[in-house]
Amino acid sequence: MLETRDFIDSETLCRELDASESSVRRDLDILEQEGLLRRVYGGAVAVQSLPGRAFDYAAESVRLSEEKDRIGKLTAGLIEDGQTVILDGGSTVAAVARELASKSLHIVTNSLPIAETFESLRNIELTLTGGYLDPRLRVMLGPFCEQMLGAIRADAVIMGIGGITESGISNNNTLVVGSEQKMIEVASRVILVADHTKFGRGGMIPVAPLNAAHVVVSDAGLGSEYVALLRDNGIQVLLA
């Protein structure tokens, strides 16, 4: 709702979400602690990263940055020298990329910020996918990107996610979904990286079922119910 309006009152939230005032108040407190909105008298207002910029790379980079850095360090330990690794776009994967800079790898990515991390490193062979450049996400997407990805094989893909529930992995951007599905298809190992706020919320478009992932790396704030859900689907869970 706050992606489409600057202010929303508590009465409207209760009515449109069919929730009690106490439930709405608790949820607003949690979302404010996570930096997703600001509480004001009578309701909530969008913070700078939300209106029209819900998936903006620059805004996402500063959200839960400490958790993402820890996820990055832990995930980098899963990758061995000499491997070919696909790196998806997004701020959490970018945190992984910074930790991979000391390894000897062939990196394939559709992300400009990630490419910039490696551009001057002689120990990294870097391949960019090409495709349409989304100026907000700073990733290359679309048919050309998917065609290039379909022509390779990789030891692993490290992906961020828009949302994850018992129904599977999802996102809200059709072009992102297409490239992510192709990444999963060509990688021998699928590693998902996501802070705890991505769990329990579903995106508009399904990307893959849960069991498409081999490993999920999140932070210590991830609820035990989601840890159990992932493990029940045969997924290794690592908490940073």
Side-chain angles (χ1 to χ4, degrees):
M1 292 178 184
L2 284 171
E3 289 170 19
T4 59
R5 61 192 98 171
D6 290 332
F7 169 82
I8 189 163
D9 62 276
S10 298
E11 183 179 345
T12 299
L13 284 170
C14 292
R15 182 179 65 253
E16 293 191 19
L17 300 176
D18 192 24
S20 68
E21 185 177 348
S22 59
S23 293
V24 166
R25 185 167 56 248
R26 284 194 301 270
D27 287 352
L28 290 179
D29 286 341
I30 292 170
L31 292 170
E32 184 176 48
Q33 290 169 14
E34 294 173 352
L36 298 176
L37 54 79
R38 182 163 59 88
R39 295 291 308 278
V40 295
Y41 181 78
V45 295
V47 295
Q48 193 173 23
S49 63
L50 280 175
R53 296 183 294 276
F55 306 105
D56 182 271
Y57 177 84
E60 279 292 299
S61 295
V62 299
R63 189 182 68 84
L64 298 175
S65 59
E66 291 183 5
E67 287 86 347
K68 291 175 182 178
D69 287 343
R70 294 199 302 270
I71 290 171
K73 289 183 174 67
L74 186 56
T75 305
L78 302 174
I79 302 302
E80 300 177 3
D81 284 339
Q83 290 188 321
T84 297
V85 181
I86 301 173
L87 297 181
D88 187 20
S91 56
T92 308
V93 181
V96 180
R98 291 191 291 271
E99 299 297 329
L100 292 175
S102 63
K103 295 180 180 286
S104 177
L105 300 168
H106 186 169
I107 297 294
V108 180
T109 187
N110 62 341
S111 165
L112 287 187
I114 288 174
E116 290 165 357
T117 299
F118 299 122
E119 62 180 345
S120 63
L121 300 180
R122 300 185 65 178
N123 55 303
I124 299 289
E125 293 183 43
L126 179 63
T127 298
L128 290 172
T129 63
Y132 160 74
L133 177 63
D134 186 301
R136 292 183 305 139
L137 299 175
R138 301 194 68 201
V139 294
M140 289 170 278
L141 305 167
F144 291 127
C145 174
E146 294 168 27
Q147 182 178 357
M148 185 273 176
L149 288 167
I152 67 170
R153 290 294 179 267
D155 296 293
V157 58
I158 300 174
M159 292 178 51
I161 52 177
I164 185 166
T165 66
E166 61 183 6
S167 299
I169 309 157
S170 56
N171 212 313
N172 288 303
N173 185 311
T174 305
L175 293 178
V176 169
V177 167
S179 63
E180 289 181 335
Q181 288 175 333
K182 189 61 68 173
M183 290 175 183
I184 291 172
E185 179 184 318
V186 302
S188 298
R189 193 181 191 197
V190 178
I191 303 171
L192 302 183
V193 292
D195 66 72
H196 68 276
T197 66
K198 298 296 180 67
F199 291 80
R201 75 186 206 195
M204 180 174 64
I205 308 165
V207 175
L210 278 180
N211 60 13
H214 299 95
V215 184
V216 169
V217 186
S218 188
D219 60 82
L222 183 62
S224 58
E225 68 275 22
Y226 296 114
V227 174
L229 172 65
L230 295 170
R231 288 176 175 162
D232 287 346
N233 279 271
I235 301 168
Q236 181 184 4
V237 181
L238 301 175
L239 301 180

